[in-house]
Amino acid sequence: MPRRVTQSELEAYLEEALPPQEMAAIELELRGQPELLKRLATINGRRDAGVHSVGEIWRRNRLSCASRQQLGSYLLGALDEEQAAYIQFHIDTIGCRVCQANLSDLSRQQEETVEIVETRRTKYFQSTAGQLRRKA
Ligand SMILES: [Zn+2]
């Protein structure tokens, strides 16, 4: 049974702005529905002519970007599989520069935090070991 694919889905597909599962689903429909390919070509032609839909403008304004909080959870591996897959797709496949920059900034912060904690822990153990030696 062919699925009805909406105009905004086709636009998002062209921009590769959909989660991987949906990209695959639309690809499947494109293979089975020749008229969908025609619609896709029309959208692509319009885009070359500089006509942009609301959906495109919405995406261009990066409303689909992850928040810093989401990116932080992503780094910690605290997101569910679907969200993590979407962020990975958004960053690696779409190559969103804004999110890439945010992510590397956040991972630097996390590394620094880990370093501070480790230094503190090392100092603590050293002083504890020192005290134990003195008592012995
Ligand atoms: Zn982004």
Side-chain angles (χ1 to χ4, degrees), residues 69-118:
Q69 200 188 0
Q70 280 178 312
L71 289 172
S73 304
Y74 172 74
L75 274 177
L76 295 169
L79 288 180
D80 66 44
E81 228 169 273
E82 203 178 326
Q83 279 182 306
Y86 180 74
I87 289 178
Q88 195 185 6
F89 176 77
H90 181 81
I91 289 170
D92 295 341
T93 310
I94 299 180
C96 174
R97 299 238 174 110
V98 175
C99 288
Q100 280 173 353
N102 264 332
L103 195 67
S104 68
D105 185 41
L106 282 168
S107 81
R108 205 177 321 122
Q109 273 181 19
Q110 281 189 4
E111 272 165 35
E112 277 167 18
T113 310
V114 168
E115 256 169 57
I116 290 167
V117 170
E118 273 174 5

Side-chain angles (χ1 to χ4, degrees), residues 1-3 29 33:
M1 255 273 288
R3 182 165 83 90
E29 293 303 324
Q33 300 182 54

Side-chain angles (χ1 to χ4, degrees), residues 4-124:
R4 224 191 87 76
V5 179
T6 67
Q7 195 77 359
S8 60
E9 277 178 318
L10 285 177
E11 281 165 9
Y13 174 81
L14 271 177
E15 288 201 359
E16 298 184 28
L18 290 172
Q21 273 173 317
E22 280 177 52
M23 291 294 289
I26 288 175
E27 232 158 70
L28 204 70
E29 293 303 324
L30 283 170
R31 266 182 240 142
Q33 300 182 54
E35 84 274 7
L36 261 188
L37 274 176
K38 271 187 220 151
R39 277 170 61 196
L40 201 64
T42 310
I43 294 170
N44 214 13
R46 250 200 353 227
R47 175 162 316 175
D48 288 343
V51 182
H52 299 292
S53 71
V54 174
E56 246 175 286
I57 291 161
W58 184 76
R59 278 189 298 281
R60 293 252 153 107
N61 284 314
R62 305 196 175 283
L63 289 180
S64 62
C65 280
S67 67
R68 273 178 83 87
Q69 200 188 0
Q70 280 178 312
L71 289 172
S73 304
Y74 172 74
L75 274 177
L76 295 169
L79 288 180
D80 66 44
E81 228 169 273
E82 203 178 326
Q83 279 182 306
Y86 180 74
I87 289 178
Q88 195 185 6
F89 176 77
H90 181 81
I91 289 170
D92 295 341
T93 310
I94 299 180
C96 174
R97 299 238 174 110
V98 175
C99 288
Q100 280 173 353
N102 264 332
L103 195 67
S104 68
D105 185 41
L106 282 168
S107 81
R108 205 177 321 122
Q109 273 181 19
Q110 281 189 4
E111 272 165 35
E112 277 167 18
T113 310
V114 168
E115 256 169 57
I116 290 167
V117 170
E118 273 174 5
T119 311
R120 205 178 287 150
R121 199 178 290 153
T122 310
K123 275 186 190 152
Y124 172 77

